[in-house]
Amino acid sequence: MMKIILAGANGTMGKHVATLIDASNEHEIVAGIDQKENLYHTFPYYQHIEEFKGEADCIIDFSHYTVVPSLVAYALAHTLPIVVCTTGLSDETEASILEASKRIPVFKSGNMSLGINLLLALVKTSAKMLEDQFDIEIIEKHHHRKIDAPSGTAKMIANGINSALENPKRLVYGREGNHSKRQDDEMTIHAIRGGTIVGEHEVIFAGLDEVIEIKHTASSRTVFAKGAITAADYIFGKPHGLYDMDHLIYNL
């Protein structure tokens, strides 16, 4: 049975992960890491990961971007694989994750849904075929409590599209004013925040007299929790390296 440290255990995503693991015979949460008081689960809680002195097999992170450096440091010190699901990370933290992957297996994705990553594969193929004839716009929608904008997933999609283009686009965030005519070299990301929207991402390819729309809607956060647990299973026992959803999807 895989022993998991769950960071952000009292958060919305942490609760979804814990609920799935409670129903599993293959995983066990040995420690929850969260600044909030434990109100939901029976496993032991710690405010800081360094306080946990037990044994574990993997860390799943759905915490706050300020907590991630300490999780990565703990994973390095204890040679543990880590699944990083938190978005909005600083450049410094991103660099530390890359450095850590030289010594331990690190799984990192801006979105843990298998569906959204299949969307990414589709839009990369589409962008490569339509580059010279279609404008590309990205629209992402989330609940009103989400703190980062645009979403990590939207950035992941934009970066994926640019990786497929011969001439990568300049990213623009929103559009306003009287001198905002669309330029040929831009790709715009629009962020919408409202209500309890779980997550919606749409890529629009707008050409002459035709429009292609590729869209993914998450109706429950359970899809992200399942993806994180699947990622933990995937990297357990793997050599050091930086893994993402492409590795998982193409090895299902």
Side-chain angles (χ1 to χ4, degrees), residues 167-201:
N167 298 299
K169 302 290 187 181
R170 174 174 53 89
L171 294 184
V172 176
Y173 302 99
R175 187 177 287 113
E176 66 176 350
N178 297 323
H179 302 282
S180 55
K181 180 181 177 181
R182 195 182 201 287
Q183 303 300 311
D184 291 339
D185 67 339
E186 72 182 38
M187 174 167 47
T188 306
I189 302 177
H190 306 272
I192 295 172
R193 297 290 177 267
T196 58
I197 301 171
V198 173
E200 185 177 301
H201 293 84

PDB file of all heavy atoms in Angstrom, residues 167-201:
ATOM      1  N   ASN A 167       6.333  29.729 -35.992  1.00  0.00           N
ATOM      2  CA  ASN A 167       6.542  31.089 -35.490  1.00  0.00           C
ATOM      3  C   ASN A 167       5.666  31.297 -34.260  1.00  0.00           C
ATOM      4  O   ASN A 167       4.485  31.647 -34.382  1.00  0.00           O
ATOM      5  CB  ASN A 167       6.183  32.112 -36.569  1.00  0.00           C
ATOM      6  CG  ASN A 167       7.054  31.979 -37.807  1.00  0.00           C
ATOM      7  OD1 ASN A 167       8.267  32.127 -37.732  1.00  0.00           O
ATOM      8  ND2 ASN A 167       6.439  31.681 -38.950  1.00  0.00           N
ATOM      9  N   PRO A 168       6.204  31.058 -33.069  1.00  0.00           N
ATOM     10  CA  PRO A 168       5.419  31.182 -31.838  1.00  0.00           C
ATOM     11  C   PRO A 168       4.774  32.556 -31.705  1.00  0.00           C
ATOM     12  O   PRO A 168       5.319  33.574 -32.148  1.00  0.00           O
ATOM     13  CB  PRO A 168       6.457  30.948 -30.737  1.00  0.00           C
ATOM     14  CG  PRO A 168       7.508  30.121 -31.395  1.00  0.00           C
ATOM     15  CD  PRO A 168       7.582  30.606 -32.808  1.00  0.00           C
ATOM     16  N   LYS A 169       3.591  32.560 -31.075  1.00  0.00           N
ATOM     17  CA  LYS A 169       2.825  33.786 -30.912  1.00  0.00           C
ATOM     18  C   LYS A 169       3.238  34.532 -29.640  1.00  0.00           C
ATOM     19  O   LYS A 169       3.688  33.945 -28.660  1.00  0.00           O
ATOM     20  CB  LYS A 169       1.336  33.455 -30.833  1.00  0.00           C
ATOM     21  CG  LYS A 169       0.779  32.705 -32.022  1.00  0.00           C
ATOM     22  CD  LYS A 169       0.703  33.565 -33.267  1.00  0.00           C
ATOM     23  CE  LYS A 169      -0.017  32.830 -34.382  1.00  0.00           C
ATOM     24  NZ  LYS A 169      -0.096  33.643 -35.625  1.00  0.00           N
ATOM     25  N   ARG A 170       3.027  35.826 -29.682  1.00  0.00           N
ATOM     26  CA  ARG A 170       3.221  36.676 -28.505  1.00  0.00           C
ATOM     27  C   ARG A 170       1.952  36.595 -27.646  1.00  0.00           C
ATOM     28  O   ARG A 170       0.844  36.799 -28.143  1.00  0.00           O
ATOM     29  CB  ARG A 170       3.479  38.111 -28.961  1.00  0.00           C
ATOM     30  CG  ARG A 170       3.565  39.143 -27.858  1.00  0.00           C
ATOM     31  CD  ARG A 170       3.962  40.484 -28.458  1.00  0.00           C
ATOM     32  NE  ARG A 170       3.086  40.872 -29.565  1.00  0.00           N
ATOM     33  CZ  ARG A 170       1.959  41.571 -29.400  1.00  0.00           C
ATOM     34  NH1 ARG A 170       1.571  41.958 -28.181  1.00  0.00           N
ATOM     35  NH2 ARG A 170       1.224  41.906 -30.446  1.00  0.00           N
ATOM     36  N   LEU A 171       2.112  36.279 -26.366  1.00  0.00           N
ATOM     37  CA  LEU A 171       0.951  36.124 -25.502  1.00  0.00           C
ATOM     38  C   LEU A 171       0.433  37.476 -25.038  1.00  0.00           C
ATOM     39  O   LEU A 171       1.195  38.341 -24.587  1.00  0.00           O
ATOM     40  CB  LEU A 171       1.298  35.261 -24.283  1.00  0.00           C
ATOM     41  CG  LEU A 171       1.648  33.801 -24.573  1.00  0.00           C
ATOM     42  CD1 LEU A 171       1.862  33.046 -23.265  1.00  0.00           C
ATOM     43  CD2 LEU A 171       0.580  33.121 -25.406  1.00  0.00           C
ATOM     44  N   VAL A 172      -0.888  37.659 -25.153  1.00  0.00           N
ATOM     45  CA  VAL A 172      -1.569  38.871 -24.704  1.00  0.00           C
ATOM     46  C   VAL A 172      -2.636  38.437 -23.711  1.00  0.00           C
ATOM     47  O   VAL A 172      -3.324  37.437 -23.918  1.00  0.00           O
ATOM     48  CB  VAL A 172      -2.226  39.614 -25.886  1.00  0.00           C
ATOM     49  CG1 VAL A 172      -3.021  40.816 -25.397  1.00  0.00           C
ATOM     50  CG2 VAL A 172      -1.168  40.042 -26.902  1.00  0.00           C
ATOM     51  N   TYR A 173      -2.770  39.197 -22.620  1.00  0.00           N
ATOM     52  CA  TYR A 173      -3.720  38.835 -21.572  1.00  0.00           C
ATOM     53  C   TYR A 173      -4.870  39.838 -21.554  1.00  0.00           C
ATOM     54  O   TYR A 173      -4.730  40.966 -21.085  1.00  0.00           O
ATOM     55  CB  TYR A 173      -3.011  38.775 -20.220  1.00  0.00           C
ATOM     56  CG  TYR A 173      -1.875  37.777 -20.232  1.00  0.00           C
ATOM     57  CD1 TYR A 173      -0.559  38.195 -20.400  1.00  0.00           C
ATOM     58  CD2 TYR A 173      -2.120  36.413 -20.114  1.00  0.00           C
ATOM     59  CE1 TYR A 173       0.483  37.283 -20.441  1.00  0.00           C
ATOM     60  CE2 TYR A 173      -1.085  35.489 -20.141  1.00  0.00           C
ATOM     61  CZ  TYR A 173       0.213  35.930 -20.307  1.00  0.00           C
ATOM     62  OH  TYR A 173       1.241  35.015 -20.358  1.00  0.00           O
ATOM     63  N   GLY A 174      -6.011  39.420 -22.101  1.00  0.00           N
ATOM     64  CA  GLY A 174      -7.159  40.312 -22.191  1.00  0.00           C
ATOM     65  C   GLY A 174      -6.985  41.338 -23.294  1.00  0.00           C
ATOM     66  O   GLY A 174      -5.939  41.439 -23.932  1.00  0.00           O
ATOM     67  N   ARG A 175      -8.030  42.110 -23.510  1.00  0.00           N
ATOM     68  CA  ARG A 175      -7.972  43.120 -24.569  1.00  0.00           C
ATOM     69  C   ARG A 175      -8.929  44.260 -24.223  1.00  0.00           C
ATOM     70  O   ARG A 175     -10.059  44.023 -23.809  1.00  0.00           O
ATOM     71  CB  ARG A 175      -8.380  42.485 -25.906  1.00  0.00           C
ATOM     72  CG  ARG A 175      -8.202  43.401 -27.104  1.00  0.00           C
ATOM     73  CD  ARG A 175      -8.552  42.690 -28.406  1.00  0.00           C
ATOM     74  NE  ARG A 175      -7.538  41.714 -28.775  1.00  0.00           N
ATOM     75  CZ  ARG A 175      -7.741  40.404 -28.791  1.00  0.00           C
ATOM     76  NH1 ARG A 175      -8.909  39.907 -28.447  1.00  0.00           N
ATOM     77  NH2 ARG A 175      -6.783  39.585 -29.146  1.00  0.00           N
ATOM     78  N   GLU A 176      -8.453  45.493 -24.332  1.00  0.00           N
ATOM     79  CA  GLU A 176      -9.310  46.636 -24.060  1.00  0.00           C
ATOM     80  C   GLU A 176      -8.775  47.867 -24.788  1.00  0.00           C
ATOM     81  O   GLU A 176      -7.661  47.867 -25.307  1.00  0.00           O
ATOM     82  CB  GLU A 176      -9.376  46.918 -22.548  1.00  0.00           C
ATOM     83  CG  GLU A 176      -8.051  47.377 -21.955  1.00  0.00           C
ATOM     84  CD  GLU A 176      -8.163  47.750 -20.491  1.00  0.00           C
ATOM     85  OE1 GLU A 176      -9.297  47.822 -19.996  1.00  0.00           O
ATOM     86  OE2 GLU A 176      -7.115  47.974 -19.860  1.00  0.00           O
ATOM     87  N   GLY A 177      -9.580  48.929 -24.813  1.00  0.00           N
ATOM     88  CA  GLY A 177      -9.131  50.197 -25.388  1.00  0.00           C
ATOM     89  C   GLY A 177      -9.536  50.376 -26.839  1.00  0.00           C
ATOM     90  O   GLY A 177     -10.122  49.502 -27.471  1.00  0.00           O
ATOM     91  N   ASN A 178      -9.220  51.536 -27.362  1.00  0.00           N
ATOM     92  CA  ASN A 178      -9.597  51.895 -28.728  1.00  0.00           C
ATOM     93  C   ASN A 178      -8.514  51.601 -29.752  1.00  0.00           C
ATOM     94  O   ASN A 178      -8.682  51.882 -30.942  1.00  0.00           O
ATOM     95  CB  ASN A 178      -9.951  53.386 -28.781  1.00  0.00           C
ATOM     96  CG  ASN A 178     -11.149  53.722 -27.917  1.00  0.00           C
ATOM     97  OD1 ASN A 178     -12.088  52.933 -27.835  1.00  0.00           O
ATOM     98  ND2 ASN A 178     -11.113  54.892 -27.281  1.00  0.00           N
ATOM     99  N   HIS A 179      -7.403  51.063 -29.281  1.00  0.00           N
ATOM    100  CA  HIS A 179      -6.300  50.759 -30.193  1.00  0.00           C
ATOM    101  C   HIS A 179      -5.860  49.311 -29.965  1.00  0.00           C
ATOM    102  O   HIS A 179      -4.673  49.027 -29.840  1.00  0.00           O
ATOM    103  CB  HIS A 179      -5.126  51.723 -29.960  1.00  0.00           C
ATOM    104  CG  HIS A 179      -5.498  53.155 -30.124  1.00  0.00           C
ATOM    105  ND1 HIS A 179      -5.652  53.750 -31.363  1.00  0.00           N
ATOM    106  CD2 HIS A 179      -5.779  54.117 -29.209  1.00  0.00           C
ATOM    107  CE1 HIS A 179      -5.996  55.026 -31.204  1.00  0.00           C
ATOM    108  NE2 HIS A 179      -6.081  55.274 -29.909  1.00  0.00           N
ATOM    109  N   SER A 180      -6.854  48.418 -29.893  1.00  0.00           N
ATOM    110  CA  SER A 180      -6.565  47.032 -29.558  1.00  0.00           C
ATOM    111  C   SER A 180      -6.861  46.072 -30.701  1.00  0.00           C
ATOM    112  O   SER A 180      -7.251  44.932 -30.496  1.00  0.00           O
ATOM    113  CB  SER A 180      -7.377  46.610 -28.319  1.00  0.00           C
ATOM    114  OG  SER A 180      -8.761  46.839 -28.524  1.00  0.00           O
ATOM    115  N   LYS A 181      -6.727  46.586 -31.929  1.00  0.00           N
ATOM    116  CA  LYS A 181      -6.909  45.708 -33.078  1.00  0.00           C
ATOM    117  C   LYS A 181      -5.973  44.525 -32.977  1.00  0.00           C
ATOM    118  O   LYS A 181      -4.806  44.654 -32.627  1.00  0.00           O
ATOM    119  CB  LYS A 181      -6.634  46.484 -34.372  1.00  0.00           C
ATOM    120  CG  LYS A 181      -6.798  45.643 -35.627  1.00  0.00           C
ATOM    121  CD  LYS A 181      -6.479  46.455 -36.876  1.00  0.00           C
ATOM    122  CE  LYS A 181      -6.577  45.582 -38.126  1.00  0.00           C
ATOM    123  NZ  LYS A 181      -6.240  46.335 -39.357  1.00  0.00           N
ATOM    124  N   ARG A 182      -6.509  43.356 -33.273  1.00  0.00           N
ATOM    125  CA  ARG A 182      -5.734  42.132 -33.146  1.00  0.00           C
ATOM    126  C   ARG A 182      -4.550  42.138 -34.111  1.00  0.00           C
ATOM    127  O   ARG A 182      -4.682  42.464 -35.289  1.00  0.00           O
ATOM    128  CB  ARG A 182      -6.621  40.926 -33.439  1.00  0.00           C
ATOM    129  CG  ARG A 182      -6.018  39.611 -32.995  1.00  0.00           C
ATOM    130  CD  ARG A 182      -6.910  38.449 -33.349  1.00  0.00           C
ATOM    131  NE  ARG A 182      -6.605  37.302 -32.536  1.00  0.00           N
ATOM    132  CZ  ARG A 182      -5.516  36.563 -32.678  1.00  0.00           C
ATOM    133  NH1 ARG A 182      -4.638  36.867 -33.606  1.00  0.00           N
ATOM    134  NH2 ARG A 182      -5.310  35.522 -31.877  1.00  0.00           N
ATOM    135  N   GLN A 183      -3.389  41.750 -33.594  1.00  0.00           N
ATOM    136  CA  GLN A 183      -2.184  41.655 -34.412  1.00  0.00           C
ATOM    137  C   GLN A 183      -1.957  40.201 -34.836  1.00  0.00           C
ATOM    138  O   GLN A 183      -2.329  39.260 -34.123  1.00  0.00           O
ATOM    139  CB  GLN A 183      -0.972  42.168 -33.629  1.00  0.00           C
ATOM    140  CG  GLN A 183      -1.114  43.596 -33.125  1.00  0.00           C
ATOM    141  CD  GLN A 183      -1.313  44.591 -34.254  1.00  0.00           C
ATOM    142  OE1 GLN A 183      -0.573  44.582 -35.241  1.00  0.00           O
ATOM    143  NE2 GLN A 183      -2.318  45.449 -34.120  1.00  0.00           N
ATOM    144  N   ASP A 184      -1.335  40.015 -35.967  1.00  0.00           N
ATOM    145  CA  ASP A 184      -1.137  38.669 -36.509  1.00  0.00           C
ATOM    146  C   ASP A 184      -0.236  37.799 -35.629  1.00  0.00           C
ATOM    147  O   ASP A 184      -0.348  36.570 -35.650  1.00  0.00           O
ATOM    148  CB  ASP A 184      -0.530  38.742 -37.912  1.00  0.00           C
ATOM    149  CG  ASP A 184      -1.509  39.312 -38.929  1.00  0.00           C
ATOM    150  OD1 ASP A 184      -2.733  39.262 -38.661  1.00  0.00           O
ATOM    151  OD2 ASP A 184      -1.054  39.801 -39.981  1.00  0.00           O
ATOM    152  N   ASP A 185       0.635  38.433 -34.858  1.00  0.00           N
ATOM    153  CA  ASP A 185       1.622  37.650 -34.104  1.00  0.00           C
ATOM    154  C   ASP A 185       1.189  37.380 -32.665  1.00  0.00           C
ATOM    155  O   ASP A 185       1.998  36.958 -31.838  1.00  0.00           O
ATOM    156  CB  ASP A 185       2.970  38.373 -34.092  1.00  0.00           C
ATOM    157  CG  ASP A 185       2.926  39.677 -33.293  1.00  0.00           C
ATOM    158  OD1 ASP A 185       1.812  40.222 -33.090  1.00  0.00           O
ATOM    159  OD2 ASP A 185       3.997  40.135 -32.852  1.00  0.00           O
ATOM    160  N   GLU A 186      -0.090  37.602 -32.343  1.00  0.00           N
ATOM    161  CA  GLU A 186      -0.512  37.447 -30.960  1.00  0.00           C
ATOM    162  C   GLU A 186      -1.483  36.279 -30.760  1.00  0.00           C
ATOM    163  O   GLU A 186      -2.198  35.859 -31.665  1.00  0.00           O
ATOM    164  CB  GLU A 186      -1.144  38.739 -30.427  1.00  0.00           C
ATOM    165  CG  GLU A 186      -2.525  39.046 -30.980  1.00  0.00           C
ATOM    166  CD  GLU A 186      -3.074  40.364 -30.455  1.00  0.00           C
ATOM    167  OE1 GLU A 186      -2.285  41.323 -30.312  1.00  0.00           O
ATOM    168  OE2 GLU A 186      -4.285  40.436 -30.200  1.00  0.00           O
ATOM    169  N   MET A 187      -1.473  35.778 -29.537  1.00  0.00           N
ATOM    170  CA  MET A 187      -2.446  34.792 -29.070  1.00  0.00           C
ATOM    171  C   MET A 187      -2.937  35.293 -27.715  1.00  0.00           C
ATOM    172  O   MET A 187      -2.139  35.512 -26.802  1.00  0.00           O
ATOM    173  CB  MET A 187      -1.806  33.406 -28.931  1.00  0.00           C
ATOM    174  CG  MET A 187      -2.708  32.363 -28.309  1.00  0.00           C
ATOM    175  SD  MET A 187      -2.069  30.656 -28.492  1.00  0.00           S
ATOM    176  CE  MET A 187      -0.353  30.821 -28.008  1.00  0.00           C
ATOM    177  N   THR A 188      -4.239  35.501 -27.579  1.00  0.00           N
ATOM    178  CA  THR A 188      -4.783  36.142 -26.391  1.00  0.00           C
ATOM    179  C   THR A 188      -5.422  35.127 -25.457  1.00  0.00           C
ATOM    180  O   THR A 188      -6.118  34.218 -25.897  1.00  0.00           O
ATOM    181  CB  THR A 188      -5.822  37.214 -26.776  1.00  0.00           C
ATOM    182  OG1 THR A 188      -5.225  38.128 -27.695  1.00  0.00           O
ATOM    183  CG2 THR A 188      -6.295  37.974 -25.550  1.00  0.00           C
ATOM    184  N   ILE A 189      -5.178  35.310 -24.148  1.00  0.00           N
ATOM    185  CA  ILE A 189      -5.816  34.500 -23.117  1.00  0.00           C
ATOM    186  C   ILE A 189      -6.789  35.381 -22.348  1.00  0.00           C
ATOM    187  O   ILE A 189      -6.418  36.452 -21.850  1.00  0.00           O
ATOM    188  CB  ILE A 189      -4.782  33.905 -22.142  1.00  0.00           C
ATOM    189  CG1 ILE A 189      -3.752  33.063 -22.899  1.00  0.00           C
ATOM    190  CG2 ILE A 189      -5.477  33.064 -21.069  1.00  0.00           C
ATOM    191  CD1 ILE A 189      -2.656  32.509 -22.003  1.00  0.00           C
ATOM    192  N   HIS A 190      -8.026  34.949 -22.258  1.00  0.00           N
ATOM    193  CA  HIS A 190      -9.061  35.676 -21.530  1.00  0.00           C
ATOM    194  C   HIS A 190      -9.443  34.871 -20.286  1.00  0.00           C
ATOM    195  O   HIS A 190      -9.745  33.675 -20.379  1.00  0.00           O
ATOM    196  CB  HIS A 190     -10.303  35.869 -22.407  1.00  0.00           C
ATOM    197  CG  HIS A 190     -10.015  36.508 -23.731  1.00  0.00           C
ATOM    198  ND1 HIS A 190      -9.993  37.873 -23.904  1.00  0.00           N
ATOM    199  CD2 HIS A 190      -9.725  35.965 -24.934  1.00  0.00           C
ATOM    200  CE1 HIS A 190      -9.710  38.148 -25.172  1.00  0.00           C
ATOM    201  NE2 HIS A 190      -9.536  37.005 -25.817  1.00  0.00           N
ATOM    202  N   ALA A 191      -9.433  35.515 -19.123  1.00  0.00           N
ATOM    203  CA  ALA A 191      -9.755  34.848 -17.863  1.00  0.00           C
ATOM    204  C   ALA A 191     -11.089  35.347 -17.332  1.00  0.00           C
ATOM    205  O   ALA A 191     -11.303  36.555 -17.196  1.00  0.00           O
ATOM    206  CB  ALA A 191      -8.655  35.097 -16.832  1.00  0.00           C
ATOM    207  N   ILE A 192     -11.973  34.413 -17.018  1.00  0.00           N
ATOM    208  CA  ILE A 192     -13.289  34.727 -16.456  1.00  0.00           C
ATOM    209  C   ILE A 192     -13.379  34.098 -15.071  1.00  0.00           C
ATOM    210  O   ILE A 192     -13.012  32.938 -14.882  1.00  0.00           O
ATOM    211  CB  ILE A 192     -14.415  34.193 -17.361  1.00  0.00           C
ATOM    212  CG1 ILE A 192     -14.392  34.933 -18.712  1.00  0.00           C
ATOM    213  CG2 ILE A 192     -15.782  34.326 -16.689  1.00  0.00           C
ATOM    214  CD1 ILE A 192     -15.331  34.362 -19.740  1.00  0.00           C
ATOM    215  N   ARG A 193     -13.870  34.862 -14.094  1.00  0.00           N
ATOM    216  CA  ARG A 193     -14.021  34.363 -12.728  1.00  0.00           C
ATOM    217  C   ARG A 193     -15.452  34.606 -12.270  1.00  0.00           C
ATOM    218  O   ARG A 193     -15.939  35.748 -12.329  1.00  0.00           O
ATOM    219  CB  ARG A 193     -13.048  35.076 -11.777  1.00  0.00           C
ATOM    220  CG  ARG A 193     -11.574  34.838 -12.091  1.00  0.00           C
ATOM    221  CD  ARG A 193     -11.168  33.415 -11.771  1.00  0.00           C
ATOM    222  NE  ARG A 193      -9.783  33.150 -12.141  1.00  0.00           N
ATOM    223  CZ  ARG A 193      -9.402  32.644 -13.303  1.00  0.00           C
ATOM    224  NH1 ARG A 193     -10.327  32.359 -14.219  1.00  0.00           N
ATOM    225  NH2 ARG A 193      -8.141  32.411 -13.567  1.00  0.00           N
ATOM    226  N   GLY A 194     -16.104  33.539 -11.782  1.00  0.00           N
ATOM    227  CA  GLY A 194     -17.464  33.729 -11.301  1.00  0.00           C
ATOM    228  C   GLY A 194     -18.071  32.477 -10.713  1.00  0.00           C
ATOM    229  O   GLY A 194     -17.776  31.352 -11.144  1.00  0.00           O
ATOM    230  N   GLY A 195     -18.881  32.671  -9.688  1.00  0.00           N
ATOM    231  CA  GLY A 195     -19.667  31.583  -9.116  1.00  0.00           C
ATOM    232  C   GLY A 195     -18.844  30.390  -8.698  1.00  0.00           C
ATOM    233  O   GLY A 195     -17.785  30.528  -8.091  1.00  0.00           O
ATOM    234  N   THR A 196     -19.328  29.209  -9.038  1.00  0.00           N
ATOM    235  CA  THR A 196     -18.676  27.965  -8.636  1.00  0.00           C
ATOM    236  C   THR A 196     -18.171  27.169  -9.835  1.00  0.00           C
ATOM    237  O   THR A 196     -18.081  25.933  -9.775  1.00  0.00           O
ATOM    238  CB  THR A 196     -19.653  27.085  -7.824  1.00  0.00           C
ATOM    239  OG1 THR A 196     -20.818  26.815  -8.624  1.00  0.00           O
ATOM    240  CG2 THR A 196     -20.080  27.777  -6.539  1.00  0.00           C
ATOM    241  N   ILE A 197     -17.832  27.860 -10.911  1.00  0.00           N
ATOM    242  CA  ILE A 197     -17.332  27.177 -12.104  1.00  0.00           C
ATOM    243  C   ILE A 197     -16.091  26.370 -11.736  1.00  0.00           C
ATOM    244  O   ILE A 197     -15.111  26.918 -11.229  1.00  0.00           O
ATOM    245  CB  ILE A 197     -16.970  28.183 -13.211  1.00  0.00           C
ATOM    246  CG1 ILE A 197     -18.178  29.024 -13.604  1.00  0.00           C
ATOM    247  CG2 ILE A 197     -16.424  27.460 -14.435  1.00  0.00           C
ATOM    248  CD1 ILE A 197     -17.840  30.182 -14.536  1.00  0.00           C
ATOM    249  N   VAL A 198     -16.135  25.077 -11.971  1.00  0.00           N
ATOM    250  CA  VAL A 198     -15.010  24.211 -11.605  1.00  0.00           C
ATOM    251  C   VAL A 198     -13.813  24.478 -12.499  1.00  0.00           C
ATOM    252  O   VAL A 198     -12.682  24.643 -12.039  1.00  0.00           O
ATOM    253  CB  VAL A 198     -15.429  22.726 -11.697  1.00  0.00           C
ATOM    254  CG1 VAL A 198     -14.219  21.818 -11.477  1.00  0.00           C
ATOM    255  CG2 VAL A 198     -16.506  22.426 -10.661  1.00  0.00           C
ATOM    256  N   GLY A 199     -14.057  24.501 -13.790  1.00  0.00           N
ATOM    257  CA  GLY A 199     -12.971  24.763 -14.723  1.00  0.00           C
ATOM    258  C   GLY A 199     -13.416  24.528 -16.155  1.00  0.00           C
ATOM    259  O   GLY A 199     -13.977  23.478 -16.473  1.00  0.00           O
ATOM    260  N   GLU A 200     -13.189  25.517 -17.005  1.00  0.00           N
ATOM    261  CA  GLU A 200     -13.558  25.396 -18.409  1.00  0.00           C
ATOM    262  C   GLU A 200     -12.475  26.054 -19.247  1.00  0.00           C
ATOM    263  O   GLU A 200     -12.062  27.176 -18.968  1.00  0.00           O
ATOM    264  CB  GLU A 200     -14.908  26.067 -18.650  1.00  0.00           C
ATOM    265  CG  GLU A 200     -15.457  25.911 -20.052  1.00  0.00           C
ATOM    266  CD  GLU A 200     -16.839  26.532 -20.192  1.00  0.00           C
ATOM    267  OE1 GLU A 200     -17.753  26.116 -19.452  1.00  0.00           O
ATOM    268  OE2 GLU A 200     -16.982  27.442 -21.023  1.00  0.00           O
ATOM    269  N   HIS A 201     -12.013  25.340 -20.254  1.00  0.00           N
ATOM    270  CA  HIS A 201     -10.981  25.874 -21.147  1.00  0.00           C
ATOM    271  C   HIS A 201     -11.397  25.653 -22.586  1.00  0.00           C
ATOM    272  O   HIS A 201     -11.793  24.551 -22.960  1.00  0.00           O
ATOM    273  CB  HIS A 201      -9.636  25.198 -20.877  1.00  0.00           C
ATOM    274  CG  HIS A 201      -9.074  25.530 -19.529  1.00  0.00           C
ATOM    275  ND1 HIS A 201      -9.440  24.852 -18.388  1.00  0.00           N
ATOM    276  CD2 HIS A 201      -8.207  26.489 -19.136  1.00  0.00           C
ATOM    277  CE1 HIS A 201      -8.814  25.371 -17.355  1.00  0.00           C
ATOM    278  NE2 HIS A 201      -8.061  26.371 -17.779  1.00  0.00           N
TER     279      HIS A 201
END
